Amino acid sequence: MLDQLHYLATGFETALTLHHVLLMAGGVLLGILVGVLPGLGAPNGVTLLLPLTFTMDPVSAIILLSSMYWGALFGGSTTSILFNIPGEPSSVATTFDGYPMARNGKAPEALATAFLSAGFGAMAGVVVVTLIANAIADFALKFGPPEFFAVYLLTFCSYLVSGGSPLKTLASLLVGLILATVGMDTVSGEIRLTYGSDTLVSGVSFLAAVVGLFGIGELLVTIEEGLKFNGLKARMSWGVAWDAAKKMPSHAVTLVRSTVVGCWMGITPGGPTAASFMSYGLAKRFSKRRANFGKGEPDGIVAPEAADHSAGVSALLPMLALGVPGSATAAVMMGGLMIWGLQPGPMLFIERPEFVWGLISSMYVANIVAVVLVLATIPLFSSILRAPFAVVGPLIIVVCLIGAYTIGGKMSDVYIALAFGVLGYVFKKLDYPIAPLILAMVLGDKTEDAFRQSMLLSDGAMGVFFANGLVGTITTAALALLAWGLVGRLFAKRELPAAG
């Protein structure tokens, strides 16, 4: 514990320099802008900013990217409440009561409640990361190829039973796994699925794919639906924020419960979107004012916001300690770490403690900066959404394509982004989840390498995944989770006719 406090204090020395505080402020402002513009969102915003960080030192780069992440989450809440447009997928649940509350003339109160809940959830997530980061890293040092494969298997099984159609989730995972095999095989050195294209030898550009899926694909759907910005005006004052803060103790149960759910879903592969919906459902189920949900109930804002932000922060922990991203944005950041020459995993805590603890310390400061800035800039960013979508939409497309080109300076990345934009559009229209595809693209080659290395170690014996208590427990948990999800769905289908 003393070592952790020492590292944390050293991290604060790094994070509280003028240079890094300015980076936090700039990152938060950029993130809010990204969050309020539908079609961008945190994953795409971080992706677009990533090429600009290649010349920065890793500590400054990760502080800038993580600050943008916090700002994007807050920005998504702003549009959910004022315009009924979730700037982030994880902000969808906030629209259920946020927009009705704003329409009832309580827009400033709704925004202040959302931001204070989000700030509490984010800070709680940082505390959790601080307390258990070293423990998870020490535990992860016991991992070999079989253990890592078991963790990846558990991740994929968690997504398969996380909700929605399991067949559609499986299809999305399989598409991602196929894309992850394109290029040079890291074990044998063979070239796979390139069809004679030299540009695919290094694989499908993950960053270009994210730009297409999250940016262009979302905008294509938006254009088809003929979206128009019709927002509500909101003038924020510190008096409104103070009044909302005084009411927060009355939401303490919902706040704490949602934060716990968010931290759990962030550390496991559930992610912020699943956490926000789950917390909203729990808040509605256990509330004495259940009938008021959907009509402007404050608990309906507190629950998804606290869960969303605590999950968003906690999702960085498995990415740093295990190399397993807990959200789409964490997956993009993980790609950034690799580009900077850092390998996520337990050795990162030993080899680069100043990086890890500089990031953790910056989370404390950046979240405070984010709450202050978002309260001060609501009128500015809400006015942006009064611009015609015919102007804003093309600008987002241009930014996406420029971002795709700057990844490697190749037109092939632009074509990949456009192709994945069409794929994202098709997935949206057919209601296929995109997150499993992204997860599979990030973890696909790692999962394959871990499996093949395990097979080489055991001469092809599958028993290696039950060879000791650690790997056996993880593998059993993955299979049990998968079986539980399938059996639960079978029972649900049997009960439906009886209920009717």
Side-chain angles (χ1 to χ4, degrees), residues 142-310:
K142 302 176 182 178
F143 279 40
E147 286 80 9
F148 274 110
F149 175 77
V151 169
Y152 299 144
L153 179 64
L154 179 62
T155 303
F156 290 131
C157 290
S158 298
Y159 265 91
L160 283 171
V161 301
S162 61
S165 169
L167 290 179
K168 289 183 176 181
T169 304
L170 179 62
S172 182
L173 280 172
L174 290 176
V175 171
L177 290 172
I178 292 170
L179 292 170
T181 62
V182 174
M184 182 178 292
D185 178 10
T186 55
V187 176
S188 67
E190 294 181 2
I191 305 299
R192 305 182 297 185
L193 300 179
T194 60
Y195 300 100
S197 172
D198 293 337
T199 59
L200 293 177
V201 171
S202 57
V204 177
S205 172
F206 168 71
L207 300 180
V210 171
V211 168
L213 289 169
F214 286 100
I216 299 173
E218 183 70 29
L219 273 173
L220 289 175
V221 175
T222 302
I223 291 169
E224 183 186 38
E225 294 175 351
L227 178 63
K228 295 181 179 179
F229 294 133
N230 294 309
L232 299 169
K233 294 182 179 180
R235 292 187 176 181
M236 180 59 65
S237 68
W238 296 112
V240 173
W242 177 245
D243 290 339
K246 290 190 290 187
K247 294 179 181 178
M248 290 308 291
S250 65
H251 307 296
V253 174
T254 301
L255 194 62
V256 173
R257 180 179 60 233
S258 302
T259 300
V260 171
V261 170
C263 290
W264 170 250
M265 295 294 282
I267 294 172
T268 60
T273 303
S276 63
F277 277 99
M278 181 183 294
S279 296
Y280 183 87
L282 290 173
K284 184 176 181 180
R285 177 175 297 178
F286 293 109
S287 176
K288 296 179 180 178
R289 302 183 298 274
R290 188 181 308 175
N292 198 37
F293 274 73
K295 302 176 182 177
E297 170 59 39
D299 268 358
I301 299 175
V302 171
E305 286 299 309
D308 180 8
H309 286 69
S310 59

Side-chain angles (χ1 to χ4, degrees), residues 458-475:
S458 65
D459 292 327
M462 296 295 290
V464 69
F465 300 116
F466 299 91
N468 58 61
L470 177 59
V471 68
T473 300
I474 300 173
T475 304

Side-chain angles (χ1 to χ4, degrees), residues 349-391:
F349 284 73
I350 297 174
E351 297 172 352
R352 295 295 300 272
E354 79 287 353
F355 170 83
V356 175
W357 289 98
L359 169 60
I360 292 174
S361 300
S362 74
M363 291 180 187
Y364 288 94
V365 184
N367 277 296
I368 295 173
V369 171
V371 172
V372 173
L373 286 179
V374 79
L375 288 171
T377 57
I378 287 171
L380 170 64
F381 287 107
S382 63
S383 66
I384 291 174
L385 290 178
R386 303 187 189 285
F389 184 75
V391 175

Side-chain angles (χ1 to χ4, degrees), residues 27-38 40-41 71-72 75 79 381 384-385:
V28 167
L29 289 172
L30 284 172
I32 297 171
L33 177 60
V34 164
V36 300
L37 292 175
L40 281 179
T79 56
F381 287 107
I384 291 174
L385 290 178

Side-chain angles (χ1 to χ4, degrees), residues 50-72:
L50 191 57
L52 303 180
T53 66
F54 292 165
T55 57
M56 301 170 64
D57 69 274
V59 176
S60 298
I62 198 69
I63 286 175
L64 178 61
L65 293 181
S66 61
S67 297
M68 171 179 257
Y69 182 25
W70 317 142

